[in-house]
Amino acid sequence: MDWKALELSFSLGFYTCLILIPIGIIIARIIAWHQFPGRNILQALLALPLILPPTVLGFYLLSAMGNRTYMGQWYESTFGTPLVFSFQGILIASIIFNIPFAIQPMQRAFESIPQSIREAAWSCGLSRLTTFLRIELPLAWPGILTSIILTFAHTLGEFGVVLMVGGNIQGETRTIAIAIYDRVQAFDNQNAAIMSATLLGISFLAIAIIYIFYDKLGRYHGSR
Amino acid sequence: MGQGSISIRLEAKTPIPLDMEFNCNDGEIFVIVGPSGSGKTTTLRCIAGLYTADTGRIICRGKTWYDSENNINTAIQDRAAGFVYQDYALFPHLTVRENISLPIKEKKISVRNQRTDKYIQLVHLNGLGDRLPHQLSGGQQQRVAVARALARDPDILLLDEPFSSVDQQTRRFLVRELIQLKHQLNIPIIHVTHDLNEARRIADQLCIIQDGTGLQIDAPENVMSRPVSSKVAQLTGHDNIFRGTIISHDQEVLSTSIKWHDKILLAGYSPDFKIDEEVDWVIPPYKILANMETKATNPKENQMTGTITELIQLGEGTIVTIKFDGMIDCLQMNYSTHHIHEHKIKPGNLITVSLIPDGIHMMRHS
C-alpha cells in the first residue's frame, strides 16, 4: 500500500474542492437563474470534460502549462519551479477536469429553488447576501454536498489527465490511481489489489453517502 | 393623482402592458380582479419592487417608493410591503416560528420571540410553531405566509391570490379571517384574485383589470350593477349584454326609451346619452321576472314573450335561456328549479318575461 500516494490523492481532492466549489457555486447560480447570450455555449464548454478523452484534455493542459508557454514561463519565473510535473500542475488539471462534476449538481440544486422563495426572502427585508446564506445555501446544500463528494471521489480516481500533466513522481504527482498502474507495471499485484480495493471502497462510500443523504433530505423537506 | 395611504400610478408598454392608477386607504381592501395574464400580479410586483414599470409613481404613507420622473426606485428590501405569494413561498427548511421571525428586524431575542408569538396567535397557529411548512395543511401554510408578511411590520399588505390553493370550505373560513384582520391591522391591503365572488365579499374597492388596464374602480356593488363598458360587464359575469339605440328621454316619468331590435324598452332616466346614440346595455338575471302564462305584452313593464331554448340546472336555481322571434340575441334569467319542475317547464315552451326598467343599465358603446 502506497500511503504517500493515498495522502497525495486526498490532498489533491481537498484542494480541488476548496478552490472549485466556491467558484462553482458562483457559476452554477449564474447559469441557474440568468438568461444571457451564449449561456448554452458556456454550459457546453463546462460539460466538455465529461466526454473529452482524458488524454486529449491532458495533452492540451500539458501544452498550455509547458515552460515554452506564457503561463508556464510566468509560473516558473514567479514561483521558481515548473508548473508541469508538479503538484500545482495536477491541481490545476484536477480543477479543470472536475468542472462538470462540481457545477452540474449545484446548478440543478439552485434551479430547484423557486424564484418566489428568493423573492419572498427579499420582501422579508433580507439582503441578497443574507438571502444567499440563510435561504439559498441551506436549500442548495444537498447539491453542494453532492458536488463536493463527486469532485473528491473523481479526483481520487482520475488517471489519464494526471499522468499526462504530472507524470509519476513519488510524493509530488503520484496519486493512488497512478500508484495502482505503477504497481501493476511492476507485477506487484498484491499492492495493486489493496489499493484498488481501497479506491473501490471510497468510491462506493461516496456514492452511498449521496443516496442516503438525498433520501433523508427528501423526507425532511417533504413536499418542497 | 389623489391621496390615499398608498397612491399608485403605473404605466408600461412591453413586455407586460400596464395602465393603472388607484389609491387605497388604511383598513381598506382594494381587490384587483381579472383573467389570467391581465396584469394583476405584475401590478403587485411593481408595488413590492419586484418589477419596474416604464413610468409612474408609488407613494406609500408619504414615502416615495417609485418615481420615474425623479429616478427614485426604492429597493424591495427597503419597501415596507408584506407580500403573500400565491404558492405562499414559505422557506421549506425553516419551522413556522423561524419563517415568521425571519423578517423581524429586532435583534434582542426576547423581543423577537415575543413578536413571533404575537403573530402566531394573530393567525391562529398556536402549537404549530415547531412544524415545518410541509407538515401543515394548505390553510395553515397560508396563515404562516400572512404572519410572515405581517412580521415585517409593513405599511401595506399585498396578497397574490392567497386562497387559490385551498379548498372551498377553507377558503370561506380564510376570507372571514381576512375581513377580521383588516380591522385589526389598519393598513391598506391590496388583494389580487380571479375569483369574482371572493372579490365581492372582501373588497372595499374593486378594480376590474384587462390587458394591464384598470377598466373600472368602484365599490363592488357599483361595479357589478353599473359596469362602465360591455368589457367590464363581460368580466363581471353579465350574460345579458346587448346593443340598442336611444329613442327618447321622458323627464316627466323619468325614463329613457331604447330600441332593441324591433322592440322598444323603457329604462331608467339616462339623459347623458344622446338621441339615436348606440349604446350597450345590460340587465342582471334577477331583474327579469317571468310569468308562465302568456299574456298580451305590456310595454310599460317591458313585457315580452319568447321561447325557452335551454334550461341549465344549478342546484336550487335554473338558468333559463329565452329566444324571441326574429332576434339573434338570447336573454338569460334565473328561475327556481322547484318551479321549473312544478310547472313542467321544458325547452320549446313559451314564456312571458318582464324586464324591470330600473334594472336596465346603459353604457357607451365600445
Side-chain angles (χ1 to χ4, degrees):
Chain A
M1 178 74 184
D2 187 343
W3 291 107
K4 193 79 190 162
L6 187 64
E7 190 191 323
L8 191 101
S9 287
F10 277 143
S11 187
L12 185 64
F14 173 77
Y15 284 111
T16 303
C17 289
L18 194 70
I19 297 167
L20 186 55
I21 296 300
I23 298 168
I25 287 174
I26 296 167
I27 297 172
R29 267 183 100 243
I30 291 170
I31 298 173
W33 291 330
H34 297 90
Q35 291 293 332
F36 50 88
R39 182 176 176 269
N40 288 333
I41 301 291
L42 177 67
Q43 287 196 89
L45 268 174
L46 295 173
L48 207 54
L50 278 179
I51 53 157
L52 211 57
T55 45
V56 173
L57 188 62
F59 170 76
Y60 282 118
L61 287 171
L62 191 61
S63 306
M65 294 178 194
N67 53 14
R68 286 182 189 165
T69 64
Y70 285 118
M71 190 165 91
Q73 283 170 3
W74 170 82
Y75 188 87
E76 196 164 348
S77 65
T78 310
F79 296 100
T81 54
L83 192 52
V84 285
F85 308 116
S86 70
F87 180 78
Q88 289 80 355
I90 60 170
L91 179 60
I92 291 173
S94 173
I95 288 167
I96 290 169
F97 71 65
N98 271 304
I99 284 174
F101 296 93
I103 288 180
Q104 288 191 355
M106 293 198 286
Q107 185 187 333
R108 302 286 167 260
F110 284 116
E111 278 170 350
S112 73
I113 301 173
Q115 175 70 8
S116 60
I117 296 249
R118 296 168 62 218
E119 290 179 354
W122 301 334
S123 61
C124 281
L126 270 61
S127 68
R128 304 248 166 181
L129 181 66
T130 314
T131 302
F132 174 69
L133 295 174
R134 295 210 54 186
I135 308 297
E136 294 169 17
L137 264 190
L139 291 177
W141 180 239
I144 296 168
L145 187 76
T146 304
S147 290
I148 292 170
I149 292 172
L150 281 182
T151 302
F152 190 80
H154 188 238
T155 306
L156 296 193
E158 181 52 40
F159 174 75
V161 180
V162 175
L163 189 67
M164 291 281 282
V165 176
N168 180 8
I169 305 165
Q170 194 183 13
E172 185 69 31
T173 62
R174 185 189 290 168
T175 60
I176 190 154
I178 290 167
I180 292 168
Y181 173 73
D182 188 63
R183 288 300 86 207
V184 172
Q185 292 286 303
F187 302 104
D188 181 3
N189 282 350
Q190 193 188 349
N191 267 318
I194 292 168
M195 286 190 283
S196 295
T198 308
L199 213 50
L200 177 72
I202 292 169
S203 302
F204 176 72
L205 197 69
I207 300 294
I209 288 172
I210 292 172
Y211 277 98
I212 291 166
F213 191 78
Y214 263 106
D215 186 48
K216 281 199 171 165
L217 193 97
R219 267 182 260 154
Y220 181 71
H221 282 320
S223 58
R224 194 192 91 193
Chain B
M1 201 162 162
Q3 284 299 305
S5 292
I6 185 159
S7 306
I8 292 151
R9 181 169 56 80
L10 299 167
E11 280 156 25
K13 284 197 169 69
T14 54
I16 303 161
L18 270 184
D19 184 7
M20 293 287 281
E21 184 167 354
F22 61 91
N23 304 307
C24 184
N25 291 315
D26 286 345
E28 212 175 68
I29 302 184
F30 186 94
V31 181
I32 305 173
V33 187
S36 298
S38 57
K40 309 184 291 284
T41 300
T42 307
T43 304
L44 277 198
R45 290 172 67 80
C46 284
I47 300 167
L50 290 162
Y51 185 81
T52 306
D54 294 344
T55 56
R57 200 158 52 147
I58 301 169
I59 299 170
C60 185
R61 296 193 163 186
K63 289 172 211 147
T64 304
W65 285 355
Y66 176 61
D67 187 346
S68 55
E69 276 178 31
N70 296 305
N71 283 328
I72 297 170
N73 195 2
T74 307
I76 176 172
Q77 286 88 353
D78 300 326
R79 298 188 188 196
F83 202 126
V84 177
Y85 291 79
Q86 188 173 3
D87 62 356
Y88 312 135
L90 299 178
F91 307 126
H93 58 302
L94 302 181
T95 62
V96 167
R97 173 167 279 282
E98 288 165 338
N99 262 282
I100 295 171
S101 68
L102 198 65
I104 299 173
K105 286 202 174 92
E106 175 64 49
K107 288 204 165 59
K108 214 171 164 188
I109 292 172
S110 60
V111 181
R112 280 179 78 93
N113 286 341
Q114 216 177 349
R115 287 189 59 189
T116 306
D117 287 337
K118 185 184 104 179
Y119 289 113
I120 285 179
Q121 276 170 18
L122 184 72
V123 296
H124 313 296
L125 284 169
N126 303 40
L128 301 175
D130 294 328
R131 291 203 189 168
L132 287 167
H134 78 268
Q135 295 168 320
L136 302 173
S137 69
Q140 287 166 339
Q141 286 184 21
Q142 193 264 356
R143 283 187 217 151
V144 179
V146 171
R148 186 182 64 182
L150 295 176
R152 207 186 164 183
D153 207 7
D155 286 337
I156 184 170
L157 187 60
L158 307 170
L159 308 170
D160 186 6
E161 306 211 29
F163 308 132
S164 62
S165 312
V166 293
D167 58 75
Q168 280 296 327
Q169 198 183 349
T170 312
R171 181 182 290 215
R172 278 198 294 275
F173 185 70
L174 292 172
V175 163
R176 270 203 304 274
E177 279 194 343
L178 176 63
I179 294 167
Q180 284 170 1
L181 205 59
K182 171 181 90 166
H183 300 298
Q184 285 172 272
L185 295 175
N186 202 31
I187 55 171
I189 299 174
I190 300 182
H191 179 112
V192 150
T193 182
H194 62 266
D195 185 334
L196 197 61
N197 288 329
E198 178 188 306
R200 289 172 68 177
R201 286 192 64 192
I202 60 176
D204 294 298
Q205 283 192 85
L206 188 65
C207 170
I208 303 294
I209 185 173
Q210 193 182 42
D211 299 329
T213 304
L215 301 176
Q216 185 172 1
I217 297 169
D218 208 335
E221 58 274 16
N222 289 344
V223 175
M224 298 306 293
S225 62
R226 312 197 71 76
V228 291
S229 66
S230 59
K231 245 186 197 178
V232 175
Q234 276 167 16
L235 291 167
T236 49
H238 280 273
D239 289 314
N240 298 320
I241 307 168
F242 307 110
R243 193 175 299 171
T245 310
I246 302 286
I247 300 291
S248 63
H249 298 297
D250 191 334
Q251 210 173 348
E252 277 179 27
V253 292
L254 291 176
S255 72
T256 292
S257 301
I258 49 174
K259 189 169 187 285
W260 181 42
H261 299 281
D262 61 341
K263 299 185 190 310
I264 306 296
L265 300 174
L266 286 183
Y269 185 54
S270 310
D272 290 348
F273 298 100
K274 292 177 193 150
I275 305 296
D276 291 334
E277 184 180 341
E278 267 210 332
V279 291
D280 293 320
W281 64 275
V282 292
I283 182 162
Y286 63 87
K287 291 286 186 181
I288 303 170
L289 303 179
N291 183 348
M292 299 315 296
E293 293 162 21
T294 310
K295 292 195 293 189
T297 56
N298 178 354
K300 282 185 181 172
E301 293 174 4
N302 291 329
Q303 276 194 355
M304 301 164 65
T305 300
T307 309
I308 296 172
T309 57
E310 194 179 34
L311 296 168
I312 301 171
Q313 286 188 17
L314 299 170
E316 293 164 3
T318 294
I319 297 173
V320 181
T321 307
I322 305 157
K323 193 170 184 329
F324 301 99
D325 281 349
M327 286 166 55
I328 303 164
D329 291 335
C330 288
L331 203 65
Q332 287 196 342
M333 63 174 289
N334 293 337
Y335 206 65
S336 147
T337 301
H338 171 72
H339 281 101
I340 296 278
H341 290 308
E342 197 177 70
H343 296 289
K344 295 186 177 133
I345 297 168
K346 288 183 187 126
N349 289 166
L350 287 179
I351 185 169
T352 299
V353 292
S354 296
L355 279 60
I356 307 294
D358 71 4
I360 294 177
H361 168 67
M362 287 168 285
M363 304 156 287
R364 300 238 177 265
H365 174 58
S366 53

